[in-house]
Amino acid sequence: MPEVRLTLQWPDGLTSELYSPSTVILQHLPPGETLSVAALQARGLEGLHQASERVRARYGFACTRTDEEATKLRQTLSAYGADQMVTILAGP
């Protein structure tokens, strides 16, 4: 399964990496798009969930790394206001 790494540029200019074990995340978070923190939370977490389920369908078990990525994403999101904007960039 092809992995995807996206770079998220936060409202304050900081960046972080988001890992997904599946390209399905690109349907939720396409590079070049700018989303509100609230939209990123909804779409990013759903995309990570779907990526984990694709791993489950293929290998018989969910991807635990997507749980870790979702936790990391939630922690970073909590530092910003829901209406602040985040840009999704191609991976590193």
Side-chain angles (χ1 to χ4, degrees):
M1 219 169 239
E3 297 178 340
V4 174
R5 294 176 193 275
L6 296 172
T7 299
L8 304 177
Q9 185 172 26
W10 297 96
D12 55 8
L14 295 176
T15 60
S16 65
E17 183 178 290
L18 179 70
Y19 166 85
S20 172
S22 169
T23 58
V24 73
I25 194 74
L26 297 173
Q27 295 172 15
H28 300 274
L29 303 176
E33 192 163 319
T34 298
L35 303 170
S36 69
V37 167
L40 175 64
Q41 180 171 357
R43 291 169 58 174
L45 294 175
E46 178 59 26
L48 288 171
H49 173 72
Q50 286 184 13
S52 183
E53 289 305 307
R54 285 198 174 186
V55 170
R56 182 189 311 276
R58 182 159 185 179
Y59 299 108
F61 54 87
C63 178
T64 57
R65 181 151 177 205
T66 57
D67 292 338
E68 294 168 7
E69 288 295 312
T71 297
K72 183 174 84 171
L73 181 60
R74 280 188 197 98
Q75 288 173 342
T76 305
L77 288 163
S78 70
Y80 301 98
D83 61 342
Q84 289 185 286
M85 304 304 285
V86 180
T87 302
I88 296 129
L89 306 170

